[in-house]
Amino acid sequence: MKHPWILALLVLVSSALALDYPQALQRAEERPPVVTARLQLQDARDQLARTESDPLALKLDRLKARQAVELAEAQLRLVRIQARAEISTAYTQVLDAEAQRELAREALAVAEKALAITRLRYEKGGATSQELTQAELGLADAQNRLKQAEEGAVLARSRLASLLGGPAEDEPLAPALELAVPTWEEVEAALARHPDALRARQGVELARAARELLDPSYAPLAQIESAELAIERAQNGLREAERGLRLRAEARWQELDAKRRALELSEQKLAQAEEDLTIARTRYEAGLVSEFTLMQVRLKATQARVERDVAYHAYLGAAWSLAESVALPLEVVHAQ
């Protein structure tokens, strides 16, 4: 799904930005879980090297050491995705919170204008005291909404700063760019690489290797039967792991599709709101509507734009959720 409005906006504001979406995602490498996973992978590789060079190491020892490296690699891949998803969520929450703040400021300006008009009409006998009270309450509500929006923006900045390990600076953020969302075929192919599936598959491999080491000429029958039962249990565990992962991936895929449809609907609403604004602006310039009417229509267009952005960020969140469910990395689609 292409969103040229994102790229266009990025070009307009990039020179004034301290941080953009790809840079924020890259900071995931500094998150403690990722650092820990990298160290665990290095430990596993070191242990594998020691095991392979040890003349006394048994076949099962070497197999376990190789499996440990493979699992550590898969775990690092998953932890990186989780860290990026967490940063993406915090990043888009800042964008949403600050957009809500600007919307609240515009709504406050409309409420102030509405009160001024109502008060003037009331003084001239054209409005009732009830209408004046409603306008005053509308202004108080707008002021309260702005206060809440400002607090929400500060809180969102703090969350992002805590993830990125820096101060909660107030420079504008670049829009969140599009992600290369995988196809269902790619999702299915990635299921086997998830640490849960890999761990279960390794269990089957290890159980089979242990059984192969038992010589029927020497090993007791009970020991052989126990080893074969261990293989069966491991295979059942693998089937359950694969089934669970697939069900979760299917649910996340359906969620992504629902968010995509919601985004498309929000874009249609925004297009209509922008068309209404164009008409209102033309009518205002022709003296057919008041400035206050134009302000109201402009506010509706801003509201539609914020709702579209929120829907897009929800779509991004669903894409990351899908990626986590199958341990499949996502890449940012950069502007050309």
Side-chain angles (χ1 to χ4, degrees):
M1 183 182 298
K2 298 297 181 183
H3 297 279
W5 55 269
I6 300 176
L7 304 183
L9 183 56
L10 177 63
V11 171
L12 289 174
V13 301
S14 60
S15 61
L17 301 175
L19 183 69
D20 64 24
Y21 189 62
Q23 290 172 346
L25 296 181
Q26 189 59 36
R27 300 279 284 276
E29 291 300 309
E30 303 169 18
R31 296 291 298 140
V34 177
V35 174
T36 299
R38 279 204 307 269
L39 292 174
Q40 290 173 340
L41 173 57
Q42 187 58 53
D43 289 343
R45 286 171 173 168
D46 292 342
Q47 181 59 46
L48 175 59
R50 288 192 295 268
T51 301
E52 290 182 334
S53 63
D54 185 356
L56 298 180
L58 302 177
K59 180 179 179 180
L60 282 181
D61 295 330
R62 292 187 173 89
L63 176 58
K64 290 178 180 178
R66 288 195 297 270
Q67 287 183 340
V69 171
E70 186 179 12
L71 186 59
E73 290 173 342
Q75 192 63 40
L76 175 58
R77 183 168 56 249
L78 176 59
V79 169
R80 276 177 169 151
I81 294 169
Q82 292 171 336
R84 287 184 172 223
E86 188 177 22
I87 289 175
S88 176
T89 297
Y91 189 98
T92 54
Q93 284 177 344
V94 172
L95 294 176
D96 289 342
E98 293 183 351
Q100 292 287 354
R101 181 183 62 193
E102 295 310 308
L103 175 64
R105 286 173 177 169
E106 188 171 338
L108 177 59
V110 171
E112 290 172 339
K113 186 73 171 180
L115 178 58
I117 292 173
T118 304
R119 183 174 288 129
L120 180 62
R121 293 181 65 238
Y122 175 74
E123 291 172 354
K124 295 182 179 296
T128 66
S129 59
Q130 183 179 5
E131 289 174 325
L132 179 60
T133 299
Q134 289 177 339
E136 291 172 340
L137 291 175
L139 176 60
D141 182 62
Q143 291 171 333
N144 185 55
R145 288 178 181 273
L146 176 57
K147 180 181 178 182
Q148 292 176 344
E150 289 174 337
E151 292 173 350
V154 171
L155 183 59
R157 279 278 179 172
S158 297
R159 290 197 196 101
L160 179 61
S162 68
L163 288 177
L164 300 183
E169 298 176 354
D170 200 32
E171 288 86 352
L173 300 181
L177 295 179
E178 185 178 359
L179 296 172
V181 177
T183 63
W184 177 247
E185 289 73 20
E186 291 172 326
V187 168
E188 286 186 307
L191 285 171
R193 298 193 296 271
H194 192 282
D196 291 349
L198 178 59
R199 189 179 293 108
R201 193 165 57 253
Q202 287 180 343
V204 174
E205 184 182 14
L206 196 59
R208 285 174 175 167
R211 170 61 184 87
E212 291 172 359
L213 292 176
L214 296 178
D215 188 339
S217 302
Y218 301 98
L221 179 59
Q223 188 177 6
I224 293 176
E225 290 177 346
S226 178
E228 291 176 347
L229 181 60
I231 294 175
E232 184 179 350
R233 289 199 189 99
Q235 289 173 332
N236 289 337
L238 175 58
R239 283 191 290 270
E240 284 300 311
E242 290 176 338
R243 178 176 177 275
L245 286 170
R246 185 176 184 85
L247 288 175
R248 185 170 60 181
E250 288 174 348
R252 301 289 173 81
W253 181 263
Q254 292 172 1
E255 180 184 359
L256 177 66
D257 187 57
K259 298 299 184 184
R260 176 187 57 77
R261 286 185 274 109
L263 173 59
E264 291 173 351
L265 179 60
S266 70
E267 288 176 334
Q268 293 172 10
K269 291 181 177 179
L270 174 59
Q272 182 61 57
E274 290 180 336
E275 181 179 346
D276 292 344
L277 178 57
T278 299
I279 293 173
R281 188 177 290 115
T282 300
R283 298 189 66 198
Y284 170 72
E285 291 172 352
L288 300 177
V289 297
S290 66
E291 180 186 10
F292 180 64
T293 298
L294 178 61
M295 290 177 65
Q296 290 177 310
V297 176
R298 185 183 296 116
L299 179 61
K300 290 181 180 179
T302 301
Q303 175 69 47
R305 191 173 302 110
V306 170
E307 290 176 355
R308 187 275 317 277
D309 291 350
V310 169
Y312 177 64
H313 297 155
Y315 172 75
L316 288 184
W320 279 113
S321 182
L322 173 65
E324 286 185 79
S325 72
V326 294
L328 182 62
L330 298 181
E331 299 297 331
V332 173
V333 177
H334 291 273
Q336 297 296 321

